[in-house]
Amino acid sequence: MPQLNLPEDLRHRILLSMYRTADELDWEFLGNPGKTAQYRRWFDDPGIGGELRNFASDKDVRVWFKDVPMKEYARAQEGIGNFVPYVQRRFRGADEIVQGLCGSSWKVIPESVEGKPNHCRAVDGDSTRYVCWGRSGRLSDLIWASVNEALDASVRPGIVVTTRDGETVNQRERERHVRLAEHCGVDLIHLHRSMIDNPDLLALS
């Protein structure tokens, strides 16, 4: 993975510009042809690709687009990782997930929030619980992570299958998800989320 040695102000400006465009395109719903076309536009843009080619080869710039900012984009929308300050809009974070699954008395342990898959630990008094979440296409990863946790857990792990505006999971799929989770000894709910303006958005002077 190329690590471009960019001036900080240039890096901030490029990331803000790329993520603003990704937000406008609804990147997570964009098909591969659309993403490929946008990568080409970024590469050809004098203010993005043109600037980056002053610090790296054409090949490294193209790889950097995919393996650095856009690899982190979905995590940033979840409020996870170092790229959070660049997304225009994001989800409310792990607190919304945990309280949707466990109830309002459960609190997220902040330093436990991580990705691959998105997960955290929550506490309520002396009880600690593993919670992971993601879209239905990641269910196999969520099940596997939860089953591994269930082996040593005193409280059943939980899975939250998330949807966002413009996305649904039909009733038959929902029922099957719950049955799979029950079979594996973990809890599962479905949660629809809406995005909010990013309170941590970086403002350039």
Side-chain angles (χ1 to χ4, degrees):
M1 179 188 302
Q3 297 295 330
L4 307 190
N5 187 21
L6 304 175
E8 200 68 3
D9 59 339
L10 177 62
R11 179 176 180 273
H12 291 332
R13 182 176 62 75
I14 286 176
L15 290 172
L16 283 168
S17 177
M18 289 182 64
Y19 277 13
R20 187 182 306 112
T21 299
D23 288 346
E24 292 168 356
L25 293 173
D26 217 348
W27 188 261
E28 291 303 291
F29 289 157
L30 195 64
N32 286 333
K35 290 179 178 178
T36 299
Q38 184 55 46
Y39 284 131
R40 189 177 303 115
R41 285 191 287 269
W42 279 326
F43 183 83
D44 292 337
D45 186 332
I48 299 178
E51 293 279 8
L52 293 174
R53 290 197 294 277
N54 291 324
F55 299 89
S57 68
D58 289 6
K59 178 182 177 181
D60 281 351
V61 169
R62 289 189 175 97
V63 172
W64 183 84
F65 284 148
K66 295 182 180 180
D67 286 0
V68 181
M70 300 321 296
K71 188 174 182 179
E72 289 292 322
Y73 178 72
R75 278 165 38 88
Q77 288 186 317
E78 293 286 352
I80 300 173
N82 296 327
F83 287 72
V84 174
Y86 302 106
V87 289
Q88 304 289 311
R89 293 174 61 75
R90 52 172 275 199
F91 297 109
R92 288 178 173 82
D95 287 316
E96 180 181 30
I97 297 291
V98 165
Q99 291 179 12
L101 175 74
C102 308
S104 60
S105 63
W106 287 79
K107 306 299 179 186
V108 175
I109 301 174
E111 61 272 18
S112 72
V113 180
E114 297 180 1
K116 298 181 181 181
N118 299 327
H119 67 274
C120 69
R121 296 190 183 278
V123 293
D124 181 15
D126 294 329
S127 298
T128 303
R129 190 176 196 188
Y130 175 87
V131 178
C132 61
W133 68 95
R135 296 164 70 183
S136 60
R138 300 295 306 276
L139 183 60
S140 59
D141 295 332
L142 302 175
I143 291 282
W144 179 248
S146 297
V147 167
N148 277 327
E149 290 291 331
L151 292 174
D152 303 308
S154 57
V155 179
R156 278 167 64 114
I159 295 172
V160 179
V161 177
T162 61
T163 52
R164 51 173 291 189
D165 293 345
E167 183 179 29
T168 59
V169 177
N170 67 47
Q171 188 61 32
R172 182 178 179 182
E173 288 180 285
R174 287 171 174 258
E175 291 172 357
R176 187 164 185 82
H177 294 169
V178 173
R179 286 171 57 204
L180 281 168
E182 184 64 32
H183 180 75
C184 295
V186 299
D187 294 331
L188 182 147
I189 67 164
H190 294 84
L191 180 68
H192 187 83
R193 300 180 295 169
S194 296
M195 285 188 162
I196 60 171
D197 291 337
N198 183 8
D200 301 310
L201 180 65
L202 179 69
L204 292 181
S205 57

